[in-house]
Amino acid sequence: MASTLQTIETQHEDMIHDAQLDYYSKRLATCSSDRTIKIFEVGENSNTLLAEIKGHEGPVWQVAWAHPKFGAILASCSYDRRICIWREVSSNEWKKAYEYDKHESSVNSISWAPHEFGLILACASSDCSISVISLRGDNTWEAQRIPQTHAIGVNSVSWAPYVSNSALISSASAPTTPTKRFVSGGCDNLVKIWKETENAWKLEETLEYHTDWVRDVAWAANIGLPASTIASCSQDGTVAVWNQDAPNAPWTKKILPKFPDVVWRVSWSITGNILAVAGGDNKVTLWKEAADGEWKCISSVEESEASPQPN
């Protein structure tokens, strides 16, 4: 089946840093150095600007849609040190539902937890900390702070998928309830895995390979299996794919062929078996694990312009 390419004229007045489709791929949210967020209806042959959201006082680095079971909710993070959570209160009318302003430096990355855990947002900041923001049962927001997670700063955060107890039945040490975990990447060249234990976040694992800042991390979907897969990319031009076959098993890694420039972003397909890589060479490449266990490039797209990143 042939692929199609659409161009959306966003009318942003500065560089676009992120673009995210909602759960149903019907609406697209974009954010920019012009301090705005825009929401578009995307169709097969046309795109319509539905709303423009203003509220940040600096470049907006990322946006993230919450699961639709919670309604139409969008989170954003910015160089202005703030995280904003926006709710659609009526058709195409967005209001700020919550703002977290306790970080001391740029907030570079946000990620919603699997919806089975509730409405929970992890946020990574250049102040070396990660905040975890949760909507409580009384409809108020609570923020937990994990200090000194990465030296110099945190660039990226990504949640582990929800794994039900049935997927862990073969493990003698299986937990009684599913465990909340996420991965972070930082300016200390490290990838770190965090686990919630007794309502506190603890470091579970540190993964070392990269020789420069880790720019992005992405935890793959696992289709209900106990195995875990994480991709990480770095300023050093490398991408690592980390695997854990079962809970408490050691992590192993495979390295993709070295890229000619910094690698900014990694993203998994919904099934968790195809990895998209975006780098400073203005290309997006798609990778898949071959029968021999090595990762092979299956597609390459030239970007028209590379987007500068935070930090």
Side-chain angles (χ1 to χ4, degrees):
M1 183 173 65
S3 61
T4 59
L5 177 65
Q6 287 191 56
T7 299
I8 299 176
E9 178 50 62
T10 67
Q11 299 178 26
H12 277 296
E13 296 176 358
D14 208 331
M15 193 67 67
I16 297 170
H17 297 289
D18 196 20
Q20 296 290 335
L21 287 166
D22 71 358
Y23 182 83
Y24 299 108
S25 297
K26 298 295 186 183
R27 294 196 286 186
L28 177 75
T30 62
C31 61
S32 166
S33 281
D34 67 9
R35 307 181 180 187
T36 69
I37 300 160
K38 297 191 179 187
I39 297 175
F40 300 85
E41 180 181 47
V42 290
E44 189 170 325
N45 299 309
S46 63
N47 307 285
T48 305
L49 177 63
L50 301 176
E52 181 178 77
I53 302 173
K54 296 181 179 180
H56 284 290
E57 297 174 358
V60 186
W61 297 131
Q62 279 191 7
V63 286
W65 294 92
H67 192 278
K69 71 174 285 186
F70 303 108
I73 293 176
L74 184 72
S76 58
C77 65
S78 169
Y79 181 78
D80 67 7
R81 305 174 296 180
R82 294 184 295 154
I83 300 122
C84 294
I85 297 175
W86 311 89
R87 185 184 294 272
E88 188 178 29
V89 294
S90 62
S91 181
N92 301 324
E93 182 184 357
W94 293 80
K95 298 292 185 184
K96 190 185 300 180
Y98 179 75
E99 178 181 305
Y100 184 75
D101 61 359
K102 305 302 181 185
H103 283 290
E104 288 82 41
S105 191
S106 173
V107 182
N108 303 320
S109 178
I110 48 177
S111 176
W112 289 106
H115 66 88
E116 294 90 345
F117 291 129
L119 200 55
I120 306 174
L121 185 72
C123 317
S125 172
S126 291
D127 67 8
C128 306
S129 71
I130 296 170
S131 54
V132 181
I133 301 170
S134 308
L135 182 64
R136 299 188 298 190
D138 60 359
N139 210 35
T140 61
W141 295 88
E142 176 184 44
Q144 290 178 281
R145 189 79 169 270
I146 314 172
Q148 301 303 316
T149 57
H150 290 268
I152 310 176
V154 196
N155 295 323
S156 182
V157 64
S158 176
W159 284 87
Y162 180 90
V163 180
S164 67
N165 290 333
S166 60
L168 300 169
I169 194 110
S170 61
S171 172
S173 58
T176 55
T177 57
T179 302
K180 298 185 185 79
R181 293 196 296 171
F182 60 79
V183 60
S184 61
C187 301
D188 53 7
N189 310 344
L190 300 174
V191 174
K192 294 186 177 183
I193 298 168
W194 305 87
K195 175 181 177 180
E196 188 186 47
T197 305
E198 298 178 349
N199 296 318
W201 289 94
K202 305 294 184 183
L203 179 63
E204 180 182 61
E205 192 82 37
T206 299
L207 305 177
E208 299 185 51
Y209 170 75
H210 298 291
T211 58
D212 207 335
W213 290 12
V214 177
R215 282 296 183 175
D216 198 18
V217 288
W219 205 310
N222 58 10
I223 322 177
L225 301 176
S228 293
T229 303
I230 294 169
S232 61
C233 65
S234 170
Q235 192 90 16
D236 64 12
T238 65
V239 173
V241 178
W242 308 86
N243 289 285
Q244 185 186 47
D245 292 333
N248 303 317
W251 287 85
T252 60
K253 66 179 180 295
K254 291 183 179 178
I255 309 301
L256 273 59
K258 188 171 173 59
F259 290 80
D261 206 331
V262 54
V263 185
W264 293 117
R265 298 292 291 271
V266 283
S267 178
W268 290 101
S269 64
I270 195 169
T271 53
N273 65 333
I274 296 176
L275 179 66
V277 178
D281 58 356
N282 292 356
K283 290 182 180 179
V284 175
T285 51
L286 300 182
W287 298 78
K288 189 172 184 179
E289 189 174 18
D292 60 3
E294 296 302 312
W295 286 81
K296 308 292 185 183
C297 182
I298 60 172
S299 183
S300 178
V301 178
E302 189 89 16
E303 293 181 296
S304 60
E305 187 174 348
S307 171
Q309 303 295 313
N311 291 324

